[in-house]
Amino acid sequence: MIAPPQGTGIGVGYNPPMVAGWSWFPDKKGMVNGIILTGFGAGGFIFNKIGTSIVNPDGLSTPFPPEVSAAFPTMLRKLAGMYAVMSIVGSLLIKRNDAIEAQAKGAAVPEAIGIEFKDAIRSKKFFTLWLMILATAGPMLNMGNLYKKFAISSGSEAISSDVFQSTMGGIGAIFNGLGRLFWGAVVDVYGFEKP
């Protein structure tokens, strides 16, 4: 039930800014991706704190009392509202580079370069990219979703504190964002195939 709106939100949050950014910086697509994904990834630093302050304002540790669980749906609705407002405002600020589009309209239409979809998904490059994402995104998303479980099961009162966990999740989000910025710049220089 949560996956379709989450997938839609991520698709809307990632793609339009990238396409618009590429029109402004066609030779720096990796850096554009890195900057956009830095903001997207590092947003967890702010929203970890906001979510925790809504669901657990007193910073209670596990085992959580019933009022923390009861506040969870309210937290989701409030965060969804904040994300919706920010997405709408952000979408109104996205603008493609009209000069490049006008130049493209006046030029002769170039012959399409590329391959058919069925050939693309059978290519070595597609398989390489798919394996790269599977090897990195799967474990990292799993860890990102379970870090609080690991801390709670540690038995340490300091580590199982919800405030501590929220702070650590936020710091992880900052490094997530900085890593995206770094690798975007690297891809602009070297490409993704040869580091």
Side-chain angles (χ1 to χ4, degrees):
M1 187 142 148
I2 204 168
Q6 181 183 15
T8 302
I10 288 173
V12 168
Y14 270 28
N15 297 331
M18 282 188 200
V19 172
W22 295 339
S23 74
W24 289 95
F25 304 98
D27 298 330
K28 295 287 185 187
K29 290 182 178 181
M31 183 61 83
V32 168
N33 285 3
I35 291 169
I36 291 165
L37 296 178
T38 295
F40 200 89
F45 177 75
I46 296 166
F47 286 99
N48 250 354
K49 292 296 194 183
I50 292 172
T52 298
S53 70
I54 295 168
V55 77
N56 188 3
D58 298 324
L60 303 171
S61 295
T62 58
F64 295 118
E67 59 264 18
V68 172
S69 297
F72 190 74
T74 301
M75 177 200 68
L76 289 179
R77 284 191 293 276
K78 286 182 178 180
L79 289 175
M82 289 179 218
Y83 296 154
V85 168
M86 290 187 323
S87 295
I88 291 167
V89 170
S91 69
L92 295 172
L93 298 174
I94 296 172
K95 183 166 176 33
R96 290 179 59 110
N97 187 344
D98 293 334
I100 288 184
E101 287 188 26
Q103 188 180 32
K105 285 180 183 174
V109 177
E111 187 176 321
I113 301 171
I115 58 176
E116 295 292 322
F117 177 77
K118 63 182 169 78
D119 297 325
I121 61 172
R122 294 183 187 137
S123 71
K124 182 180 176 185
K125 282 186 181 182
F126 176 83
F127 186 69
T128 301
L129 285 170
W130 188 83
L131 281 177
M132 288 167 59
I133 290 171
L134 181 67
T136 57
M140 292 312 300
L141 288 172
N142 192 31
M143 183 64 175
N145 289 327
L146 294 175
Y147 77 95
K148 284 193 172 190
K149 274 280 196 211
F150 293 138
I152 290 168
S153 65
S154 72
S156 166
E157 191 173 320
I159 292 175
S160 63
S161 159
D162 202 34
V163 173
F164 176 80
Q165 293 172 34
S166 175
T167 301
M168 290 299 103
I171 290 170
I174 288 173
F175 280 99
N176 175 5
L178 292 174
R180 293 168 188 238
L181 182 62
F182 171 77
W183 286 112
V186 168
V187 167
D188 275 342
V189 175
Y190 297 105
F192 83 92
E193 295 180 275
K194 50 181 179 181

